[in-house]
Amino acid sequence: MYRDAPTSTSIVQHGIALALRGRCPFCAEVTARPGILSGTACDVCGGAFTDDQRFGERVVSEMEALTRERFGTVLATATLAAALAGTVPFLGLVANLVALIVFRLWVVGPCLSLLSGTRRHVVRWTLRLGTAWLLAITGLFLAIPCAAFLQTAFVVGTVWWSGRAYLLWQLRRERVREPIALGEWLLLGGVIAAMLLAIGLVLSLATTVYGFVDGLLSWSPFGDG
């Protein structure tokens, strides 16, 4: 028995499924210069869906719907896990880390695979430093048991929703072949500045707390004085 030839609709659907994993819709390879969204030919096999077929637009729409569905699942799971572990200080950090790893695998990785050249590097570092800044600012709340699940809900919600919106915005810019704008560089610079500021604030707070505790001990029976 011979198989029937696949229809054009099934070919496109299969191509979208591959594209959502950052792979070429034709040869399933991951390339350094993807043209999936813009209709540029694959640099491995030469295959391409033309702009007239709106393939790139469909890929972005599918990515938007898929990541929205995953957002609710991960947010609810991470918040529940942090609430259950909230009686142990800093144990909620595990829920944060797992949720961020899932974000990297389910959202960031596939989206970055659809971006090319300098834009991919700009997006990657903006997300990395932005996430690190948020963790540095809110991480101290993990020491408070009753606030652990609130911190987790805030961090996971903010990173997933804002990071997802930022990635979808970049995918749309890639779709129409927009060059990297000055605002994108300024955003990366602002994230770097915020990260440095957060590190300074955390170190300053830690120094202040240490000085306060040391001062209390110096007046206690356990101190040298």
Side-chain angles (χ1 to χ4, degrees):
M1 297 291 295
Y2 292 98
R3 292 186 306 166
D4 293 333
T7 63
S8 59
T9 301
S10 64
I11 291 176
V12 171
Q13 288 296 335
H14 181 65
I16 290 175
L18 288 172
L20 290 174
R21 292 168 174 80
R23 296 181 175 275
C24 170
F26 295 92
C27 66
E29 292 291 335
V30 178
T31 68
R33 297 189 304 275
I36 297 171
L37 299 181
S38 60
T40 306
C42 172
D43 58 359
V44 175
C45 69
F49 285 101
T50 65
D51 287 342
D52 293 338
Q53 294 169 304
R54 303 290 183 184
F55 182 77
E57 186 175 315
R58 291 186 61 182
V59 171
V60 175
S61 297
E62 290 283 344
M63 183 69 77
E64 183 175 7
L66 183 62
T67 53
R68 184 190 301 114
E69 178 183 341
R70 290 173 171 176
F71 167 75
T73 301
V74 173
L75 177 61
T77 303
T79 304
L80 177 61
L84 294 176
T87 55
V88 181
F90 292 107
L91 194 57
L93 181 62
V94 176
N96 279 357
L97 294 178
V98 172
L100 293 178
I101 290 173
V102 173
F103 177 64
R104 174 67 178 83
L105 295 176
W106 281 4
V107 183
V108 178
C111 288
L112 287 179
S113 298
L114 294 171
L115 301 175
S116 59
T118 306
R119 169 164 277 119
R120 182 185 296 186
H121 298 295
V122 170
V123 171
R124 177 185 287 117
W125 282 105
T126 300
L127 289 173
R128 281 179 179 176
L129 295 175
T131 302
W133 167 79
L134 191 63
L135 286 174
I137 288 294
T138 63
L140 295 176
F141 288 99
L142 289 172
I144 307 174
C146 62
F149 81 97
L150 294 176
Q151 188 270 354
T152 297
F154 177 76
V155 169
V156 175
T158 301
V159 170
W160 265 75
W161 196 253
S162 61
R164 170 183 172 273
Y166 174 67
L167 284 165
L168 291 173
W169 175 62
Q170 291 288 7
L171 290 181
R172 293 187 181 97
R173 291 181 63 79
E174 180 84 10
R175 165 83 179 91
V176 296
R177 305 180 189 181
E178 286 282 348
I180 298 178
L182 176 61
E184 296 175 62
W185 289 109
L186 291 177
L187 178 60
L188 177 57
V191 169
I192 293 174
M195 179 61 193
L196 295 176
L197 178 61
I199 293 175
L201 289 175
V202 171
L203 290 177
S204 176
L205 180 59
T207 302
T208 302
V209 171
Y210 175 80
F212 178 73
V213 173
D214 185 63
L216 288 178
L217 290 177
S218 66
W219 289 96
S220 71
F222 303 100
D224 294 336

